[in-house]
Structures are given as C-alpha cells and as structure tokens.
C-alpha cells in the first residue's frame, strides 16, 4: 500500500506540473509585446519553484554578433542575480556546453563533480555562481539553436526528477514560441512603417 501511495503522489505531482506548464503557456500567449518579459520571468519563477531550484534563466544567442546573453532570470529569495554579469559573452566561451546544446542534448548534473574534464571552463563559471546542481536544455526555433534555458541549485544539491527535465524541455519550446511571435510582430510593425 505504501508503494501505491508513492506512485499516486508522483502521479499527482506530475499532473500538477502539467497544470503549471499549461497556465504558463496561457500566460505567455496572452502577453503583449510589452508584457512578455515579465511573463517569461513569472513562468521561470513558478516552474523553478515547483522544481525546487534557486535560479531559472534564459540565454539567447546573437549569431550575428557571435555572443550570448542572459536575457531573463528568476532567483529565489537570498540568491544572487547573475544576469548582469552574463551579457555579450562570446558564443565559444563555453565550448563543451555549446557542443552539447548543438547536439540537442540536455546538460543534467546533480553534482559538478560529474562534469567531464573537457567542461573545465563551464565548471569554473558554475562554481563562480555558487551552483551545486545544474540542468540546461537547448532553446530551438525554426531548426536553429537560439540559446538555452537553465535551472541552478545553489543552496542544496538536486537529483533531477525526470518530470523537471521534460518540463524544462517543454518550457523551452513555449518560450521559443513566445519569443518568435514577438520577433515576428516587431518585424511586421517595422515593415508597416
């Protein structure tokens, strides 16, 4: 009977996570251009809180400039914001991470000790930010890698649940759609003028 309760608890948690993502998707779709950034940070916060993380963020790539920037960030109370420190970084500054993302791989480490040797640059940055556990998924749009979405655990190590990994992938797709819609709207306004 105890095993059944655990499975039901996991099922209930999964259903609640699906509801949370559905509400987040609706919020993003309803948000106008001027409200989208706040909506993205709200969705990052609710999703990050649900998964028990301390920081959730979006990085966007600027292929023309060859840079990446932290464009949206949510942090739990008492956690340092890092977005201001992570602007206009060369795309090749973190080569191991970029290669993983280009291969559509999830970067999921409950401990930085499990990072491979070739991720030494990334590990140094993660340690600078006080990260203990990290989960990063690629942000794709129109078959192009546009950036990534990530969760950091700072206060305690996290053994990532499958639901958080799948949920973060879905969140990345939702964010890509919302950001694409805003870019299309801006392009149409520009052409109209």
């Amino acid at each position: 009977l105890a095993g059944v309760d655990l499975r039901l608890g996991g099922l209930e948690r999964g259903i609640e996570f699906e509801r949370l993502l559905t509400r987040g998707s609706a919020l993003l779709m309803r948000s106008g251009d001027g409200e989208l950034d706040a909506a993205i940070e709200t969705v990052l916060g609710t999703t990050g809180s649900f998964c028990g993380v301390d920081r959730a963020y979006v990085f966007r790539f600027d292929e023309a400039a060859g840079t990446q920037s932290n464009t949206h960030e949510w942090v739990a109370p008492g956690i340092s914001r890092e977005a201001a420190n992570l602007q206009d970084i060369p795309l090749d500054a973190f080569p191991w991470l970029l290669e993983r993302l280009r291969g559509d791989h999830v970067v999921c480490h409950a401990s930085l000790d499990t990072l491979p040797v070739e991720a030494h640059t990334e590990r140094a940055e993660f340690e600078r930010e006080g990260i203990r556990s990290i989960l990063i998924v690629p942000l794709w749009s129109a078959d192009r890698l546009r950036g990534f979405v990530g969760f950091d655990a700072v206060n305690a190590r996290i053994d990532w649940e499958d639901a958080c990994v799948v949920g973060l992938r879905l969140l990345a797709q939702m964010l890509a759609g919302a950001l694409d819609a805003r870019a299309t709207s801006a392009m149409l306004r520009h052409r109209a003028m």
Side-chain angles (χ1 to χ4, degrees):
L1 188 57
V4 172
D5 289 342
L6 288 175
R7 284 193 299 267
L8 288 176
L11 178 61
E12 289 171 1
R13 183 166 165 76
I15 291 169
E16 181 57 31
F17 196 33
E18 287 178 16
R19 287 182 182 142
L20 182 144
L21 290 173
T22 301
R23 288 191 301 268
S25 179
L27 175 63
L28 292 171
M29 289 183 349
R30 285 192 316 265
S31 298
D33 288 350
E35 304 161 333
L36 184 59
D37 292 324
I40 289 172
E41 291 184 11
T42 296
V43 172
L44 287 171
T46 56
T47 309
S49 293
F50 184 89
C51 289
V53 303
D54 300 306
R55 190 182 294 124
Y57 47 86
V58 175
F59 268 75
R60 301 284 309 277
F61 294 167
D62 182 340
E63 294 285 345
T67 61
Q68 57 185 313
S69 295
N70 185 330
T71 58
H72 301 85
E73 179 183 48
W74 166 86
V75 296
I79 301 299
S80 66
R81 290 191 167 274
E82 291 294 333
N85 303 321
L86 299 167
Q87 299 300 309
D88 300 317
I89 299 167
L91 276 176
D92 60 0
F94 303 112
W96 175 82
L97 177 60
L98 186 59
E99 179 183 332
R100 300 292 301 160
L101 294 171
R102 284 185 172 151
D104 197 30
H105 298 286
V106 171
V107 174
C108 182
H109 291 272
S111 170
L112 298 186
D113 293 337
T114 62
L115 286 167
V117 174
E118 57 270 21
H120 58 88
T121 306
E122 290 81 356
R123 181 179 178 146
E125 176 59 27
F126 299 157
E127 288 174 346
R128 184 196 68 76
E129 294 179 39
I131 298 168
R132 291 185 177 187
S133 302
I134 194 157
L135 174 60
I136 296 174
V137 301
L139 180 67
W140 291 95
S141 170
D143 295 327
R144 291 185 61 204
L145 181 63
R146 304 293 184 158
F148 58 90
V149 182
F151 283 164
D152 296 345
V154 176
N155 285 326
R157 198 175 71 78
I158 292 180
D159 291 316
W160 301 104
E161 296 177 48
D162 288 342
C164 286
V165 176
V166 171
L168 192 55
R169 275 232 189 237
L170 291 171
L171 178 60
Q173 290 174 338
M174 292 171 9
L175 293 174
L179 291 166
D180 284 351
R182 178 165 69 181
T184 300
S185 175
M187 181 184 66
L188 291 173
R189 278 194 312 275
H190 178 73
R191 286 184 180 174
M193 292 185 179

